[in-house]
Amino acid sequence: KASIHSVLIRSDLLEMFTSASTFFEGAAYAMESPQKIHNPNLCLYGTSTPEDFWASVSSLNTADGLLPRFLLFNVTGKKPDREDTDNNVYNVPQSLIEAVQALALAGRGNGNLANTDNGSFASKPTIVSYSADAATELARFEKFVDETVSAQESLPILNRAVEHAIKLALAVSVATDWTKPVIAGHAMKWAAKLAWLSTCIMIEETGDRISDNSREADLKRIFGHIKRAGKDGITEGKIADRCGSIDRKRRDELLADLVLSGRITEKLVATKGRPKKRYFLV
């Protein structure tokens, strides 16, 4: 139900992702011609709760390639302990300032016009090569991805894994040595692991959370509670308590469908009183 201007942002993101070696051309207006942005490198960092994030996307975002272009990580585990320190954001070591300044100016030449990175003209990129170990690691990862069996709807996500690994390895290698950058074997190995972690999370989460109608959303909501319960399972009463907005008739139908499809199993567990139904992930 988004406005046309909001919908077009998706198209712009899709285009910019593959335009770093060329240019991005904006829309034309009545009194203004479209302006070219050469070598666009758009980076977005966002945090959200899973519920809000997945409620905002649909299966179309997987098929059209938008979600596969993102790296996705779930933050789990115990919250770190708070640390007290005398430093603040203004106490930045001079060595760190100088290193970041050198990195920001790397590969841009000399002269007072060399660092005007406003996209008004095309830039000549610095080519970063692979070491022998990195090339071996990349070939191994490509073979692993090619041999991985996945559902048809997950292929757009799987097909981006190698590209993500290359970009991650490039980023960390240039940040390590920007004067003569080379993608080392350990950097490519790390990047492949991180890209694969994101790929697995994205495939699992899209399968468990994306819904195109209310019934499918309710089913995946119930299934999510059962899945997160782990080996201990979850009682019918807890499902009813956590899914109060789903009426009992639909809840029973959805639980029956999940059992019929073999995704969960239902067991009667003895208690001090009446036996209780408990649901487990298969």
Side-chain angles (χ1 to χ4, degrees), residues 6-25:
S6 298
V7 172
L8 288 175
I9 294 176
R10 181 181 66 190
S11 301
D12 290 343
L13 291 175
L14 289 169
E15 185 176 350
M16 286 185 186
F17 188 86
T18 54
S19 299
S21 61
T22 56
F23 61 86
F24 172 80
E25 191 169 58

PDB file of all heavy atoms in Angstrom, residues 6-25:
ATOM      1  N   SER A   6       7.490   5.858  -2.858  1.00  0.00           N
ATOM      2  CA  SER A   6       8.155   4.901  -1.976  1.00  0.00           C
ATOM      3  C   SER A   6       8.502   3.613  -2.714  1.00  0.00           C
ATOM      4  O   SER A   6       9.558   3.014  -2.491  1.00  0.00           O
ATOM      5  CB  SER A   6       7.255   4.584  -0.775  1.00  0.00           C
ATOM      6  OG  SER A   6       7.014   5.749  -0.012  1.00  0.00           O
ATOM      7  N   VAL A   7       7.610   3.179  -3.608  1.00  0.00           N
ATOM      8  CA  VAL A   7       7.851   1.968  -4.377  1.00  0.00           C
ATOM      9  C   VAL A   7       9.068   2.135  -5.286  1.00  0.00           C
ATOM     10  O   VAL A   7       9.851   1.193  -5.489  1.00  0.00           O
ATOM     11  CB  VAL A   7       6.605   1.596  -5.202  1.00  0.00           C
ATOM     12  CG1 VAL A   7       6.904   0.443  -6.147  1.00  0.00           C
ATOM     13  CG2 VAL A   7       5.452   1.226  -4.283  1.00  0.00           C
ATOM     14  N   LEU A   8       9.247   3.333  -5.826  1.00  0.00           N
ATOM     15  CA  LEU A   8      10.367   3.581  -6.737  1.00  0.00           C
ATOM     16  C   LEU A   8      11.713   3.503  -6.021  1.00  0.00           C
ATOM     17  O   LEU A   8      12.742   3.293  -6.672  1.00  0.00           O
ATOM     18  CB  LEU A   8      10.203   4.950  -7.404  1.00  0.00           C
ATOM     19  CG  LEU A   8       9.097   5.037  -8.467  1.00  0.00           C
ATOM     20  CD1 LEU A   8       8.953   6.468  -8.977  1.00  0.00           C
ATOM     21  CD2 LEU A   8       9.386   4.087  -9.629  1.00  0.00           C
ATOM     22  N   ILE A   9      11.727   3.691  -4.693  1.00  0.00           N
ATOM     23  CA  ILE A   9      12.979   3.558  -3.949  1.00  0.00           C
ATOM     24  C   ILE A   9      13.538   2.150  -4.116  1.00  0.00           C
ATOM     25  O   ILE A   9      14.747   1.953  -4.262  1.00  0.00           O
ATOM     26  CB  ILE A   9      12.752   3.874  -2.453  1.00  0.00           C
ATOM     27  CG1 ILE A   9      12.389   5.351  -2.284  1.00  0.00           C
ATOM     28  CG2 ILE A   9      13.997   3.539  -1.628  1.00  0.00           C
ATOM     29  CD1 ILE A   9      12.043   5.733  -0.857  1.00  0.00           C
ATOM     30  N   ARG A  10      12.649   1.152  -4.126  1.00  0.00           N
ATOM     31  CA  ARG A  10      13.082  -0.235  -4.323  1.00  0.00           C
ATOM     32  C   ARG A  10      13.777  -0.389  -5.673  1.00  0.00           C
ATOM     33  O   ARG A  10      14.837  -1.028  -5.762  1.00  0.00           O
ATOM     34  CB  ARG A  10      11.882  -1.168  -4.228  1.00  0.00           C
ATOM     35  CG  ARG A  10      12.226  -2.643  -4.386  1.00  0.00           C
ATOM     36  CD  ARG A  10      10.980  -3.502  -4.295  1.00  0.00           C
ATOM     37  NE  ARG A  10      10.083  -3.260  -5.418  1.00  0.00           N
ATOM     38  CZ  ARG A  10       8.848  -3.729  -5.503  1.00  0.00           C
ATOM     39  NH1 ARG A  10       8.351  -4.438  -4.525  1.00  0.00           N
ATOM     40  NH2 ARG A  10       8.107  -3.481  -6.564  1.00  0.00           N
ATOM     41  N   SER A  11      13.199   0.197  -6.713  1.00  0.00           N
ATOM     42  CA  SER A  11      13.807   0.103  -8.045  1.00  0.00           C
ATOM     43  C   SER A  11      15.163   0.789  -8.076  1.00  0.00           C
ATOM     44  O   SER A  11      16.107   0.294  -8.704  1.00  0.00           O
ATOM     45  CB  SER A  11      12.873   0.732  -9.084  1.00  0.00           C
ATOM     46  OG  SER A  11      11.621   0.099  -9.096  1.00  0.00           O
ATOM     47  N   ASP A  12      15.280   1.921  -7.384  1.00  0.00           N
ATOM     48  CA  ASP A  12      16.560   2.635  -7.347  1.00  0.00           C
ATOM     49  C   ASP A  12      17.621   1.815  -6.619  1.00  0.00           C
ATOM     50  O   ASP A  12      18.783   1.758  -7.042  1.00  0.00           O
ATOM     51  CB  ASP A  12      16.393   3.988  -6.655  1.00  0.00           C
ATOM     52  CG  ASP A  12      15.576   4.962  -7.499  1.00  0.00           C
ATOM     53  OD1 ASP A  12      15.423   4.702  -8.711  1.00  0.00           O
ATOM     54  OD2 ASP A  12      15.095   5.971  -6.949  1.00  0.00           O
ATOM     55  N   LEU A  13      17.229   1.162  -5.524  1.00  0.00           N
ATOM     56  CA  LEU A  13      18.182   0.326  -4.777  1.00  0.00           C
ATOM     57  C   LEU A  13      18.669  -0.838  -5.633  1.00  0.00           C
ATOM     58  O   LEU A  13      19.854  -1.172  -5.623  1.00  0.00           O
ATOM     59  CB  LEU A  13      17.531  -0.206  -3.504  1.00  0.00           C
ATOM     60  CG  LEU A  13      17.221   0.808  -2.401  1.00  0.00           C
ATOM     61  CD1 LEU A  13      16.460   0.143  -1.266  1.00  0.00           C
ATOM     62  CD2 LEU A  13      18.486   1.460  -1.886  1.00  0.00           C
ATOM     63  N   LEU A  14      17.738  -1.449  -6.369  1.00  0.00           N
ATOM     64  CA  LEU A  14      18.112  -2.560  -7.243  1.00  0.00           C
ATOM     65  C   LEU A  14      19.100  -2.110  -8.310  1.00  0.00           C
ATOM     66  O   LEU A  14      20.067  -2.812  -8.628  1.00  0.00           O
ATOM     67  CB  LEU A  14      16.857  -3.147  -7.904  1.00  0.00           C
ATOM     68  CG  LEU A  14      15.908  -3.931  -7.001  1.00  0.00           C
ATOM     69  CD1 LEU A  14      14.599  -4.208  -7.720  1.00  0.00           C
ATOM     70  CD2 LEU A  14      16.544  -5.234  -6.555  1.00  0.00           C
ATOM     71  N   GLU A  15      18.864  -0.934  -8.869  1.00  0.00           N
ATOM     72  CA  GLU A  15      19.735  -0.437  -9.944  1.00  0.00           C
ATOM     73  C   GLU A  15      21.092  -0.009  -9.422  1.00  0.00           C
ATOM     74  O   GLU A  15      22.126  -0.285 -10.037  1.00  0.00           O
ATOM     75  CB  GLU A  15      19.052   0.735 -10.656  1.00  0.00           C
ATOM     76  CG  GLU A  15      19.826   1.230 -11.865  1.00  0.00           C
ATOM     77  CD  GLU A  15      19.095   2.332 -12.625  1.00  0.00           C
ATOM     78  OE1 GLU A  15      17.907   2.570 -12.318  1.00  0.00           O
ATOM     79  OE2 GLU A  15      19.717   2.956 -13.505  1.00  0.00           O
ATOM     80  N   MET A  16      21.115   0.680  -8.266  1.00  0.00           N
ATOM     81  CA  MET A  16      22.387   1.174  -7.733  1.00  0.00           C
ATOM     82  C   MET A  16      23.333   0.040  -7.358  1.00  0.00           C
ATOM     83  O   MET A  16      24.549   0.180  -7.442  1.00  0.00           O
ATOM     84  CB  MET A  16      22.130   2.062  -6.515  1.00  0.00           C
ATOM     85  CG  MET A  16      21.571   3.425  -6.843  1.00  0.00           C
ATOM     86  SD  MET A  16      21.443   4.440  -5.356  1.00  0.00           S
ATOM     87  CE  MET A  16      20.597   5.885  -6.025  1.00  0.00           C
ATOM     88  N   PHE A  17      22.767  -1.082  -6.925  1.00  0.00           N
ATOM     89  CA  PHE A  17      23.588  -2.199  -6.479  1.00  0.00           C
ATOM     90  C   PHE A  17      24.527  -2.685  -7.576  1.00  0.00           C
ATOM     91  O   PHE A  17      25.638  -3.142  -7.294  1.00  0.00           O
ATOM     92  CB  PHE A  17      22.680  -3.347  -6.016  1.00  0.00           C
ATOM     93  CG  PHE A  17      23.421  -4.477  -5.362  1.00  0.00           C
ATOM     94  CD1 PHE A  17      23.709  -4.438  -4.008  1.00  0.00           C
ATOM     95  CD2 PHE A  17      23.825  -5.586  -6.091  1.00  0.00           C
ATOM     96  CE1 PHE A  17      24.395  -5.482  -3.391  1.00  0.00           C
ATOM     97  CE2 PHE A  17      24.498  -6.630  -5.485  1.00  0.00           C
ATOM     98  CZ  PHE A  17      24.790  -6.579  -4.127  1.00  0.00           C
ATOM     99  N   THR A  18      24.094  -2.597  -8.823  1.00  0.00           N
ATOM    100  CA  THR A  18      24.898  -3.099  -9.942  1.00  0.00           C
ATOM    101  C   THR A  18      25.429  -1.982 -10.844  1.00  0.00           C
ATOM    102  O   THR A  18      25.813  -2.228 -11.979  1.00  0.00           O
ATOM    103  CB  THR A  18      24.056  -4.065 -10.791  1.00  0.00           C
ATOM    104  OG1 THR A  18      22.830  -3.409 -11.175  1.00  0.00           O
ATOM    105  CG2 THR A  18      23.715  -5.313 -10.013  1.00  0.00           C
ATOM    106  N   SER A  19      25.461  -0.743 -10.323  1.00  0.00           N
ATOM    107  CA  SER A  19      25.872   0.391 -11.159  1.00  0.00           C
ATOM    108  C   SER A  19      27.192   1.012 -10.721  1.00  0.00           C
ATOM    109  O   SER A  19      27.565   2.071 -11.210  1.00  0.00           O
ATOM    110  CB  SER A  19      24.787   1.482 -11.142  1.00  0.00           C
ATOM    111  OG  SER A  19      23.573   0.994 -11.655  1.00  0.00           O
ATOM    112  N   ALA A  20      27.917   0.383  -9.804  1.00  0.00           N
ATOM    113  CA  ALA A  20      29.143   0.983  -9.289  1.00  0.00           C
ATOM    114  C   ALA A  20      30.196   1.186 -10.380  1.00  0.00           C
ATOM    115  O   ALA A  20      31.022   2.095 -10.291  1.00  0.00           O
ATOM    116  CB  ALA A  20      29.714   0.126  -8.166  1.00  0.00           C
ATOM    117  N   SER A  21      30.173   0.363 -11.407  1.00  0.00           N
ATOM    118  CA  SER A  21      31.163   0.499 -12.483  1.00  0.00           C
ATOM    119  C   SER A  21      30.679   1.410 -13.606  1.00  0.00           C
ATOM    120  O   SER A  21      31.440   1.700 -14.531  1.00  0.00           O
ATOM    121  CB  SER A  21      31.502  -0.879 -13.063  1.00  0.00           C
ATOM    122  OG  SER A  21      30.335  -1.480 -13.607  1.00  0.00           O
ATOM    123  N   THR A  22      29.414   1.864 -13.518  1.00  0.00           N
ATOM    124  CA  THR A  22      28.875   2.734 -14.563  1.00  0.00           C
ATOM    125  C   THR A  22      28.305   4.002 -13.912  1.00  0.00           C
ATOM    126  O   THR A  22      29.042   4.777 -13.324  1.00  0.00           O
ATOM    127  CB  THR A  22      27.796   2.007 -15.378  1.00  0.00           C
ATOM    128  OG1 THR A  22      26.759   1.512 -14.490  1.00  0.00           O
ATOM    129  CG2 THR A  22      28.392   0.820 -16.128  1.00  0.00           C
ATOM    130  N   PHE A  23      26.998   4.205 -14.049  1.00  0.00           N
ATOM    131  CA  PHE A  23      26.381   5.397 -13.454  1.00  0.00           C
ATOM    132  C   PHE A  23      24.913   5.113 -13.157  1.00  0.00           C
ATOM    133  O   PHE A  23      24.315   4.179 -13.686  1.00  0.00           O
ATOM    134  CB  PHE A  23      26.500   6.606 -14.392  1.00  0.00           C
ATOM    135  CG  PHE A  23      25.811   6.419 -15.716  1.00  0.00           C
ATOM    136  CD1 PHE A  23      24.459   6.705 -15.872  1.00  0.00           C
ATOM    137  CD2 PHE A  23      26.512   5.940 -16.814  1.00  0.00           C
ATOM    138  CE1 PHE A  23      23.810   6.519 -17.091  1.00  0.00           C
ATOM    139  CE2 PHE A  23      25.877   5.745 -18.039  1.00  0.00           C
ATOM    140  CZ  PHE A  23      24.522   6.039 -18.169  1.00  0.00           C
ATOM    141  N   PHE A  24      24.371   5.935 -12.292  1.00  0.00           N
ATOM    142  CA  PHE A  24      22.937   5.898 -11.987  1.00  0.00           C
ATOM    143  C   PHE A  24      22.327   7.203 -12.472  1.00  0.00           C
ATOM    144  O   PHE A  24      22.841   8.278 -12.199  1.00  0.00           O
ATOM    145  CB  PHE A  24      22.706   5.731 -10.488  1.00  0.00           C
ATOM    146  CG  PHE A  24      21.258   5.881 -10.080  1.00  0.00           C
ATOM    147  CD1 PHE A  24      20.368   4.836 -10.239  1.00  0.00           C
ATOM    148  CD2 PHE A  24      20.789   7.073  -9.556  1.00  0.00           C
ATOM    149  CE1 PHE A  24      19.032   4.963  -9.875  1.00  0.00           C
ATOM    150  CE2 PHE A  24      19.466   7.217  -9.185  1.00  0.00           C
ATOM    151  CZ  PHE A  24      18.588   6.164  -9.348  1.00  0.00           C
ATOM    152  N   GLU A  25      21.247   7.086 -13.201  1.00  0.00           N
ATOM    153  CA  GLU A  25      20.594   8.282 -13.750  1.00  0.00           C
ATOM    154  C   GLU A  25      19.237   8.457 -13.074  1.00  0.00           C
ATOM    155  O   GLU A  25      18.378   7.581 -13.128  1.00  0.00           O
ATOM    156  CB  GLU A  25      20.414   8.153 -15.255  1.00  0.00           C
ATOM    157  CG  GLU A  25      20.003   9.451 -15.928  1.00  0.00           C
ATOM    158  CD  GLU A  25      20.090   9.349 -17.441  1.00  0.00           C
ATOM    159  OE1 GLU A  25      19.425   8.458 -18.019  1.00  0.00           O
ATOM    160  OE2 GLU A  25      20.839  10.135 -18.060  1.00  0.00           O
TER     161      GLU A  25
END
